[in-house]
Amino acid sequence: MGIFRFLLAALVVLFHFGGLGWIVGRIAVFAFYGISGFLIFQVLDRVYLSEPRGIPRFFCNRFVRLVPLYLVYTVLTLAMVRGLGPQAIVDPAGRRILQDVDRGIVELLIESATFGPDAEMVDSMPVLQFTPMLIPQGWSIGVEGTFYLLAPLVVLTTRRRSWWIAAWIGVGLLAFLWGVRTAGMDQDRFQVLVYKNAVASAVVFFMGGAFYYLRRRWGQPLPLAAIAIPMLAWVAVVTVPSLSLGVGPERSAGVFSQYLWLTLLLAGLVSLTHVKKLRAFDVNAGNLCYGVYLNHFLVGGLLLRAGATNYLGLPGALPFGFAVLVGSTVLAYATYRLVEHPFDRVRARVRGEYRPPPTPVVYGLRPQVAALAVAACLILLASPVGQAVGYVSQSNVADLPASPAFNIRWRPGTSDGDRQGFEAELGLNALGPVERDPSHRTWSYSLRSPTPDRVRALLEHRAVEDTSGINRDRLEISQ
């Protein structure tokens, strides 16, 4: 799993600094939750829950694993912000790579060291999110910490009867769908109520636990070569739309769920994979991924201060993103040797002397073909899953009268089939083509339940080139 985890960390870096679209970073973070669920269920079931004092030792182990390196990078980032001046956090175009770091040193350290938790109710949806200022991507570490607090209870209730994990997944799925419904079509609310919300995202952690139980039952039938092509295909599906369209696929809960479904399928295949020939490389890649994830804003700031934009372009350009990735990898290796590796000995003492037997490796063509065939069939459910979640996101939108007529000019290359799909996705009633457009790309529509959220979704749609009859400032359709 180390190679896959490093790949996820690299995608997060390229999302923040390489210009990859919105879906890349979000899917990578949720994939981390799934992998984390697998690993945490595994160590609890095979090590800590087999002894009387196992749960306190599990929490001590997690603390030693996550906190020392996190604090090191918190202090280093604070030193960069205070010591190198604004050139380290503001690019030549005036965009800040770190927000809200103009506060006092003590406040910054406290907010970052405690992950800045914030719990509230938003329209009957419980929200628990984190905002560490100096390590902005550290919010997901806070979310994972929440999962760790819950994990012993989940594993205790499922390790003897593994199928009971379906109940936890069901509860998590209800929370996810309730967050989607509450957010509606407003992607800003989706960010708060679903993406960064520990309550709504717990279902992915539980899915990772289910993958562990599948591996405990079936072993590891897949060699690394068997999932190399699926993994490359997944990278292409996630990144190529971002490279070609600049912003990636349409921003909606339905599209997010389609990509999430495909990502979870890949994570499931990875959990059934046995790495033999590249074992050392896999382990080393896994050792570096946490450091890369934590340090890339620090590395980006150092590159800004060094004037790297004169040669690599601004943050958001692929050359700058890859430079940050290389620098993050080098720095992660250094801090692994200096910080993480010494603490690994502490973790070993906390873990104890017990060494569980290795997971059985199942050889043979039949189990490999069966696992890949099941995954191929489940891929076909990605679109229905996305449509179902998209329906849930629209179910809470107030039922308003249809809007007055307005016009949309679709981008070149939009086929009739694509246009009809977009009309259904956006809730448009087609009134017919606009004859005065010689390109035949402009159509007249009315919009069902024209709330500001729906109007914004229409204006931001990747296939919409221009509109007329819409007040973009007020998000209203003119009379």
Side-chain angles (χ1 to χ4, degrees):
M1 282 193 173
I3 295 173
F4 186 49
R5 288 158 56 206
F6 184 86
L7 174 62
L8 295 176
L11 290 176
V12 171
V13 174
L14 295 177
F15 163 67
H16 285 140
F17 288 101
L20 295 187
W22 71 277
I23 194 67
V24 176
R26 286 157 178 76
I27 288 302
V29 168
F30 269 55
F32 268 124
Y33 295 160
I35 296 298
S36 179
F38 174 91
L39 296 174
I40 295 303
F41 272 60
Q42 178 175 249
V43 297
L44 281 169
D45 179 51
R46 303 182 71 194
V47 180
Y48 293 106
L49 295 185
S50 300
E51 55 186 64
R53 294 183 297 172
I55 292 178
R57 289 168 62 183
F58 164 74
F59 289 130
C60 289
N61 189 294
R62 288 291 88 197
F63 181 89
V64 175
R65 171 68 181 95
L66 298 179
V67 173
L69 188 65
Y70 179 85
L71 292 179
V72 165
Y73 281 126
T74 297
V75 172
L76 289 176
T77 304
L78 178 62
M80 178 194 72
V81 169
R82 287 293 185 262
L84 299 183
Q87 294 88 347
I89 60 174
V90 181
D91 69 18
R95 297 174 299 184
R96 298 172 66 96
I97 65 170
L98 289 174
Q99 309 295 328
D100 299 325
V101 292
D102 300 326
R103 307 181 182 191
I105 292 177
V106 174
E107 183 180 2
L108 284 175
L109 284 175
I110 292 176
E111 282 288 324
S112 299
T114 61
F115 297 98
D118 181 26
E120 60 180 334
M121 291 289 293
V122 179
D123 297 339
S124 76
M125 178 65 196
V127 174
L128 175 60
Q129 59 180 338
F130 301 85
T131 53
M133 300 300 179
L134 292 170
I135 312 288
Q137 71 278 24
W139 66 266
S140 65
I141 309 298
V143 170
E144 287 209 31
T146 305
F147 299 158
Y148 297 161
L149 294 176
L150 185 61
L153 173 63
V154 181
V155 179
L156 279 172
T157 58
T158 58
R159 64 192 302 239
R160 303 298 182 190
R161 297 176 177 85
S162 58
W163 58 272
W164 281 17
I165 190 64
W168 286 98
I169 292 175
V171 172
L173 182 60
L174 287 176
F176 174 84
L177 293 176
W178 188 256
V180 168
R181 182 181 182 276
T182 306
M185 297 180 67
D186 188 333
Q187 289 306 296
D188 292 333
R189 285 168 62 85
F190 181 87
Q191 182 91 346
V192 173
L193 298 177
V194 180
Y195 174 56
K196 290 191 173 184
N197 185 4
V199 177
S201 54
V203 62
V204 182
F205 184 80
F206 300 150
M207 285 293 296
F211 295 150
Y212 164 68
Y213 288 134
L214 290 176
R215 177 158 137 174
R216 191 180 70 174
R217 175 67 176 84
W218 293 346
Q220 297 171 280
L222 297 175
L224 181 60
I227 68 162
I229 293 178
M231 189 177 297
L232 291 174
W234 175 81
V235 171
V237 167
V238 170
T239 60
V240 169
S242 300
L243 292 172
S244 60
L245 298 178
V247 295
E250 172 65 22
R251 299 170 70 97
S252 71
V255 170
F256 173 82
S257 300
Q258 290 183 42
Y259 278 82
L260 179 59
W261 179 263
L262 296 175
T263 302
L264 289 176
L265 286 179
L266 179 61
L269 290 177
V270 170
S271 69
L272 299 176
T273 300
H274 174 62
V275 180
K276 184 177 181 181
K277 293 183 179 180
L278 298 176
R279 178 64 180 171
F281 180 76
D282 186 65
V283 171
N284 290 328
N287 289 337
L288 297 180
C289 68
Y290 185 49
V292 169
Y293 187 79
L294 288 180
N295 72 23
H296 60 277
F297 276 90
L298 171 63
V299 173
L302 294 175
L303 288 176
L304 280 180
R305 187 64 178 86
T309 54
N310 296 328
Y311 311 99
L312 301 172
L314 296 175
L318 273 179
F320 192 93
F322 277 112
V324 172
L325 178 58
V326 171
S328 295
T329 304
V330 172
L331 183 57
Y333 176 78
T335 54
Y336 173 76
R337 301 303 302 178
L338 296 173
V339 180
E340 292 181 275
H341 186 61
F343 274 102
D344 282 344
R345 292 191 288 270
V346 178
R347 294 177 61 207
R349 290 197 295 270
V350 172
R351 187 167 51 242
E353 298 297 328
Y354 174 70
R355 293 293 182 271
T359 302
V361 179
V362 181
Y363 295 101
L365 184 61
R366 182 176 295 179
Q368 296 174 15
V369 172
L372 294 175
V374 170
C377 293
L378 292 176
I379 287 175
L380 301 178
L381 296 178
S383 181
V385 166
Q387 292 175 1
V389 174
Y391 174 80
V392 171
S393 71
Q394 299 182 46
S395 64
N396 197 34
V397 177
D399 189 16
L400 301 176
S403 73
F406 62 96
N407 296 335
I408 295 177
R409 183 167 70 239
W410 301 99
R411 292 189 182 278
T414 303
S415 67
D416 288 341
D418 290 339
R419 173 180 53 77
Q420 292 168 4
F422 297 147
E423 290 168 353
E425 173 187 334
L426 295 170
L428 296 170
N429 296 317
L431 304 179
V434 176
E435 300 296 338
R436 64 178 179 272
D437 180 9
S439 66
H440 305 293
R441 292 188 286 117
T442 304
W443 281 65
S444 182
Y445 295 99
S446 64
L447 178 64
R448 297 189 294 272
S449 298
T451 65
D453 292 343
R454 284 196 165 192
V455 175
R456 181 188 294 108
L458 187 156
L459 293 173
E460 294 178 352
H461 197 281
R462 69 183 188 279
V464 174
E465 183 178 68
D466 198 7
T467 61
S468 64
I470 298 179
N471 187 320
R472 291 177 173 267
D473 295 328
R474 301 177 61 183
L475 298 177
E476 294 179 352
I477 298 175
S478 306
Q479 296 290 335

